[in-house]
Each structure stands twice: as C-alpha cells, then as structure tokens.
Amino acid sequence: TIMLPFLFAAVIAGIDWLATTAYRRSWVPPQLAAAVLVLITSLCSLLLFEPGFTSRISSHTSLQESAILEAGHSLIQEIPPQASVAVQSPFAPSLAHRLQLTILPRAVDPDYILFDVFHPNRDPVPQVYQESLMRAFQNPLYGLRMYDYGYLLFERDLDPSTKKAALVSGTLPNIQYAQRVELDSTIAYLGFDLSTTHLQAGEQVYLTHYWQSILPTPNHYLQFTAYPGAQRFEQIAFGAYSPEQWNPGDVVIHRQLISFPDLPDGGEYEIAIGLWFGEGEPRLQSPDQLLGQDVIRIASLSVSNGEYQIHPWYVQIPEGNP
C-alpha cells in the first residue's frame, strides 16, 4: 500500500515519456501506444507471476459469486458504522472508512472481530492466524454473532454460549445426505450437506459434515479428506471444539471448501473422509492411524465432456430414528 503512490507516479511518467517519444518520432498515436503498453505489461505480469490466474478466474462459480459473497457483504453490514473492528487484511479495503480498524493478530478489545477461514490469503501466517481465531473463541467477553460460509463474526458483550451453539447441535439436524457410520463405536459420521453436484475443474464445492460423539475419547482427531488431487487434514470445527472435548450425544458441525483439478474424461473417482490421529506432520502412513482403521466413502465423482458430477453414496435415515 505504501508503494502504490510511487507506482502510479512512475506509470504516469512512463506514459508521458512514451507519448512524447511517439509524437516526436511519428509513431502510432500516443494514446494507442500507451494503451498497448499497459495491456502488454499487465498480461506479462499475470503470465510471469500468476501462472494459475486462468484457473482462478474460472473458479468463480455461482456459489462464490452469489451465496458466499452475499454472505460476506451481509456480514459486513451487520457491523455498526461507529464500532471498532479487527479483521484479516483482505477485509481491510471494505472497512477502511472505520475510525478504529486494526489488522489481526493485533486486536485491543475491539467491538467486533471478523474472520474468513476459507480465504486463500490467510494473513497473517496460518499459525498466527489460528492462534488469533482460538483467542476469539476462548475469550469469554465475546459471542459469535454470525457464522456462515466460513465467515465468523465475534461481537463483544454477546452471550459467549453462542460460539459453541454454532458448532454443536444438541439434536439431530436435517441433513441433506444422511447416513450413519460408526467408527470403533466411539464417533459416528451422520452425513453431509453439499452446495452443488454439478461443477467444472477449479470450481469450489461447499461441504458441511456432521459428526456425533458416542463415547468420550482422549485423542485429538483430525478430519482426513481424500479426493482427486488432494489429501487434507483439518481440525474439526477449526479446532475450537475438538473431539477430546466432545460430550456423548453432541452433533459437531465441520465445514470445508474444496475444488477438483483437471481430470480426464471418463474417469470415476472417490471422495472419502475419516478421523486421523498421530504425532508430527499429518500424513497417513497406516490404517491404524484412522479411527476404525478405515475411511468412509461418501461420494463418487464422474467426469464427462469436461463436466464434473458428484454422486453421493448415502443411506437415508428414516425421520425420527436416531
């Protein structure tokens, strides 16, 4: 940000030099020369420094453009104009007119703290970011005003029990693709919600998983997710309510955003999840590291003419049954 004024001054000086030189040497019209120069340098910068920009442009799905962005804008509107706010740096431009705006992890008792757990630019560095998020969860002075599509808005002097209520359901919720798979009679997987079943390479899918505690466990399990192009290890409920804290009967909600790489036509792939426990760098080396020593195959993915389709594998639980 500090460099931007000098960069703009350099661009203006460069265009002026180009226009003057073009006029003296009877080149193409100066305005056209300047426009071509800006276009060429912009494209070269994208190709050299952002080789994946074309796939990122294509990843702006209807989900991103409508539901996710709409949720973000609505959430910002929830913050009163006079309130002090602490946010990640990507939010700063939208809130720059605030009298009291700080960038996380710096936060001195603000009225609101705003996180986006799915933003690729998780400033500050991920570990510091995670510590900031956990401090907000653990601070008894704050409650959770809103939690949707990975956005978390903490409000000072709000009931702190709202934080756990957003992550844990005391009753069985209405699950889009319901099933029940028990892992070692300790934790059950109840199914998932899916934002879409039809997509293309690079497009993102919003998944909501539901886990239920059967018996207490001393282990800090991570959710293991395997799908074409990735194996992921994630803290359930972003680490705010991990399995060793669960009470029997708790239904714990975990949300994630995933995307698929370019895949050949005619392919059939699996999407599977499990609960992983181990020391050091998360890496699946043995089935013994998985609770129940197996994964749960929740869906298949087929590719036809560049179109991806997710086929959930589920057994619908009759209404009223546990």
Side-chain angles (χ1 to χ4, degrees):
T1 304
I2 295 172
M3 293 178 61
L4 284 178
F6 302 99
L7 291 173
F8 274 103
V11 170
I12 293 170
I15 291 176
D16 178 67
W17 172 86
L18 179 65
T20 303
T21 303
Y23 177 77
R24 289 176 178 173
R25 300 187 180 183
S26 300
W27 291 351
V28 295
Q31 296 87 344
L32 179 60
V36 170
L37 176 65
V38 171
L39 176 62
I40 292 175
T41 53
S42 298
L43 290 174
C44 289
S45 297
L46 282 172
L47 293 171
L48 289 173
F49 300 110
E50 297 290 339
F53 83 99
T54 52
S55 63
R56 280 197 292 277
I57 290 174
S58 67
S59 71
H60 283 269
T61 66
S62 58
L63 169 66
Q64 289 178 297
E65 293 295 342
S66 56
I68 289 183
L69 293 181
E70 184 178 339
H73 291 309
S74 299
L75 188 142
I76 290 175
Q77 297 301 317
E78 291 285 325
I79 304 175
Q82 70 278 8
S84 58
V85 190
V87 297
Q88 296 162 260
S89 59
F91 284 107
S94 300
L95 297 166
H97 60 287
R98 302 285 172 147
L99 291 177
Q100 293 180 316
L101 175 67
T102 55
I103 305 299
L104 293 169
R106 183 173 177 265
V108 184
D109 297 328
D111 297 322
Y112 291 85
I113 306 175
L114 177 58
F115 289 93
D116 178 3
V117 296
F118 294 141
H119 199 287
N121 179 18
R122 284 161 54 109
D123 280 341
V125 292
Q127 184 58 38
V128 178
Y129 164 90
Q130 183 64 25
E131 292 172 358
S132 299
L133 181 60
M134 292 307 300
R135 281 197 298 270
F137 266 112
Q138 296 167 359
N139 193 328
L141 298 178
Y142 288 87
L144 188 59
R145 182 182 181 91
M146 187 179 294
Y147 172 38
D148 198 9
Y149 288 108
Y151 297 111
L152 295 99
L153 179 63
F154 296 91
E155 181 179 352
R156 187 178 176 85
D157 297 328
L158 191 67
D159 183 358
S161 66
T162 54
K163 290 182 282 192
K164 184 176 178 180
L167 304 174
V168 183
S169 174
T171 59
L172 189 64
N174 184 21
I175 303 173
Q176 185 180 9
Y177 299 107
Q179 63 186 109
R180 184 180 179 90
V181 180
E182 294 189 4
L183 299 175
D184 202 26
S185 300
T186 303
I187 297 174
Y189 182 70
L190 302 182
F192 62 99
D193 298 335
L194 191 63
S195 62
T196 183
T197 57
H198 293 79
L199 62 157
Q200 295 179 341
E203 293 184 354
Q204 293 179 311
V205 180
Y206 190 75
L207 273 164
T208 303
H209 302 277
Y210 298 87
W211 298 94
Q212 185 175 42
S213 173
I214 302 174
L215 295 173
T217 175
N219 295 331
H220 182 84
Y221 288 105
L222 300 180
Q223 178 175 306
F224 167 76
T225 311
Y227 54 92
Q231 291 187 357
R232 289 168 55 170
F233 298 84
E234 301 175 345
Q235 296 194 72
I236 300 175
F238 314 115
Y241 193 55
S242 54
E244 69 272 18
Q245 300 172 296
W246 295 357
N247 298 311
D250 281 351
V251 177
V252 182
I253 303 167
H254 178 67
R255 294 181 169 95
Q256 63 179 176
L257 202 61
I258 67 174
S259 61
F260 304 105
D262 289 318
L263 299 169
D265 275 355
E268 289 281 346
Y269 307 89
E270 284 189 343
I271 304 172
I273 67 168
L275 293 180
W276 176 93
F277 177 72
E279 300 295 334
E281 182 72 19
R283 185 177 302 165
L284 184 60
Q285 298 175 324
S286 166
D288 293 340
Q289 294 176 287
L290 292 167
L291 181 62
Q293 300 186 11
D294 201 0
V295 296
I296 305 166
R297 292 159 179 82
I298 63 171
S300 64
L301 176 72
S302 63
V303 183
S304 177
N305 298 321
E307 298 290 330
Y308 292 22
Q309 184 171 357
I310 300 174
H311 308 275
W313 293 339
Y314 68 99
V315 177
Q316 188 66 45
I317 306 299
E319 188 173 350
N321 285 2

